């Protein structure tokens, strides 16, 4: 095995990224080295690429980008027992501390001291990535490589959709970025209906239809709250999934929710959002919940079962496949809005 590898690196505290040769990570006794087959560019990577205020505070270059991937185990540390070289794996990239109140009470997905691989430590836009054994997720070989590369965002969607009942219920998804679109596919597979998508971008509107939305409403053209009421016999949506982080989208999400309904929020607003708590939460008896990451590993088990059932067709959402060296082109495609999941192949594309 060579000692260096190709990687996408944020080498300076400024916009952009470099394709560089860096050292292959060495594994400690409880760590696993994975040869990356496919990785996927996330919205978070676009923030780091553009070097916005959030990433300038959070990220310390040099850093290898990337946190969505699958691959084959190359090497394991001396104390690793649960996974062997050759295994097809992905990983939970939120590394919890294991010692705080949340970790000790079964809520490690909201660990106080979480460190994220690909944000706080070197990630997977490289030929190899190093993962703690405890974070490895073994993938059923029946699951295609391209789906296995997007388990991280699919897990966000599964966590949000299944944070309450959805079968036989109307679900409104506000914002059809990749996680919103994945949430539509998951809600459909879980028997929700009708599924109503709210999205202004025409490319994403088409994808929302393809993955199972019964109606796609454009907030730049229509009163989406009134439309949702019409489509739900003036009751409002049983479940609303807020995936936009847009302040108007968040307010409308509360307004289109039926009395006693469930609103799960995943989209991250860039600044505080003003809400009418009296009318939209208290008098409504609304159940409001924040969705962060994936429940470890409950969400992963449910996601794997859904994938194995064959009821999730995610193929329309994987819009582009590029070599690792074309990372910047992938970023440009995503920034244009005319792409959803862009996959990179650091070890060459599969035949
Ligand atoms: Zn991501
Ligand atoms: Zn913790």
């Amino acid at each position: 095995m060579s000692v260096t590898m190709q990687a996408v690196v944020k080498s300076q505290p400024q916009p952009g990224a470099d394709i560089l040769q860096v050292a292959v990570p060495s594994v400690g006794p409880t760590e696993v080295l994975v040869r990356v087959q496919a990785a996927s560019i996330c919205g978070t990577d676009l923030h780091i690429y553009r070097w916005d205020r959030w990433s300038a505070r959070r990220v310390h270059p040099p850093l290898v980008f990337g946190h969505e991937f699958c691959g084959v185990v190359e090497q394991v540390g001396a104390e690793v027992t649960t996974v062997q070289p050759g295994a097809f794996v992905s990983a939970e990239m939120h590394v919890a501390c294991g010692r705080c109140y949340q970790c000790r009470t079964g809520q490690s997905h909201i660990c106080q001291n979480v460190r994220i691989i690909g944000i706080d430590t070197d990630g997977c836009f490289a030929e190899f990535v190093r993962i703690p054994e405890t974070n490895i997720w073994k993938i059923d070989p029946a699951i295609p490589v391209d789906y296995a590369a997007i388990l991280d965002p699919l897990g966000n969607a599964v966590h949000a959709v299944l944070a309450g009942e959805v079968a036989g219920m109307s679900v409104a998804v506000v914002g059809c970025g990749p996680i919103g679109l994945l949430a539509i596919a998951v809600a459909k597979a879980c028997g929700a209906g009708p599924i109503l998508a709210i999205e202004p971008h025409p490319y994403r509107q088409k994808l929302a239809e393809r993955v199972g939305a019964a109606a796609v409403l454009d907030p730049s053209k229509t009163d989406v709250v009134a439309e949702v009421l019409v489509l739900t016999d003036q009751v409002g949506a049983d479940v609303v999934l807020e995936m936009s982080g847009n302040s108007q989208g968040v307010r409308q999400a509360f307004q289109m929710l039926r009395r006693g309904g469930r609103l799960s929020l995943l989209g991250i607003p860039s600044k505080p959002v003003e809400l009418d708590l009296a009318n939209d939460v208290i008098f409504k008896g609304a159940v409001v919940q924040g969705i962060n990451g994936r429940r470890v590993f409950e969400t992963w088990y449910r996601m794997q079962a859904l994938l194995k059932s064959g009821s999730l067709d995610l193929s329309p959402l994987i819009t582009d496949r590029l070599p690792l060296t074309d990372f910047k082109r992938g970023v440009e495609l995503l920034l244009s809005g005319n792409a959803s999941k862009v996959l990179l192949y650091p070890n060459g594309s599969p035949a």
Side-chain angles (χ1 to χ4, degrees):
M1 210 178 104
S2 68
V3 290
T4 64
M5 62 178 188
Q6 202 165 47
V8 179
V9 184
K10 170 66 76 178
S11 42
Q12 299 293 330
Q14 63 191 36
D18 298 303
I19 312 286
L20 298 177
Q21 284 291 321
V22 300
V24 172
S26 55
V27 295
T30 59
E31 292 172 330
V32 172
L33 187 69
V34 183
R35 183 185 288 269
V36 179
Q37 279 186 312
S40 173
I41 306 176
C42 174
T44 306
D45 301 314
L46 304 184
H47 289 289
I48 300 173
Y49 181 86
R50 289 193 290 192
W51 203 244
D52 62 5
R53 274 172 53 207
W54 168 82
S55 37
R57 273 201 310 267
R58 175 78 181 251
V59 174
H60 303 287
L63 175 86
V64 176
F65 285 68
H67 58 269
E68 304 178 357
F69 82 105
C70 66
V72 174
V73 173
E74 179 83 9
Q75 192 188 329
V76 299
E79 292 168 24
V80 170
T81 57
T82 57
V83 65
Q84 280 75 45
F88 182 37
V89 299
S90 182
E92 170 55 60
M93 298 297 248
H94 289 200
V95 180
C97 75
R99 289 181 286 276
C100 72
Y101 177 89
Q102 283 72 20
C103 283
R104 285 163 61 89
T105 55
Q107 297 186 300
S108 66
H109 66 294
I110 44 173
C111 168
Q112 294 176 35
N113 309 305
V114 69
R115 290 179 58 77
I116 304 178
I117 302 170
I119 293 173
D120 300 312
T121 59
D122 284 343
C124 63
F125 291 167
E127 291 170 60
F128 298 96
V129 62
R130 173 176 53 198
I131 307 286
E133 178 189 12
T134 48
N135 285 61
I136 288 282
W137 176 257
K138 286 188 265 184
I139 308 171
D140 192 295
I143 294 170
V145 166
D146 287 359
Y147 286 17
I150 58 169
L151 297 182
D152 180 286
L154 179 61
N156 290 138
V158 169
H159 183 187
V161 172
L162 297 183
E165 275 190 78
V166 289
M169 294 178 126
S170 56
V171 174
V173 177
V174 181
C176 296
I179 299 175
L181 291 167
L182 290 165
I184 293 170
V186 172
K188 174 118 181 136
C190 294
I195 300 167
L196 311 173
I198 291 92
E199 170 59 46
H201 196 288
Y203 185 86
R204 291 172 164 184
Q205 290 174 348
K206 280 201 196 73
L207 289 176
E209 263 170 33
R210 287 188 62 191
V211 290
V216 182
L217 312 173
D218 185 340
S220 68
K221 296 201 175 110
T222 56
D223 177 348
V224 293
V225 174
E227 289 285 318
V228 169
L229 285 170
V230 167
L231 292 165
T232 56
D233 295 329
Q234 300 300 322
V235 172
D238 297 315
V239 176
V240 179
L241 306 175
E242 207 309 302
M243 303 288 190
S244 76
N246 173 286
S247 54
Q248 178 187 269
V250 172
R251 275 192 290 275
Q252 290 174 334
F254 278 88
Q255 290 162 6
M256 65 180 66
L257 185 70
R258 76 154 157 80
R259 289 178 166 249
R262 186 241 311 182
L263 173 56
S264 299
L265 297 123
L266 184 141
I268 300 167
S270 56
K271 50 183 191 298
V273 176
E274 196 174 313
L275 297 173
D276 183 353
L277 283 180
N279 288 308
D280 291 338
V281 177
I282 299 166
F283 297 141
K284 235 178 201 181
V287 175
V288 180
Q289 52 185 196
I291 300 291
N292 183 16
R294 298 142 297 280
R295 294 192 69 97
V296 185
F297 278 87
E298 181 194 335
T299 301
W300 290 83
Y301 282 106
R302 299 188 81 176
M303 173 163 60
Q304 174 130 306
L306 278 168
L307 283 167
K308 281 177 75 178
S309 75
S311 52
L312 278 180
D313 179 12
L314 309 180
S315 53
L317 304 184
I318 299 170
T319 52
D320 301 273
R321 295 171 172 83
L322 302 171
L324 185 71
T325 45
D326 278 355
F327 172 73
K328 284 185 193 175
R329 202 168 101 71
V331 166
E332 280 158 19
L333 280 167
L334 288 167
L335 292 174
S336 77
N338 294 319
S340 187
K341 289 316 285 180
V342 176
L343 300 191
L344 303 170
Y345 301 90
N347 286 287
S349 9

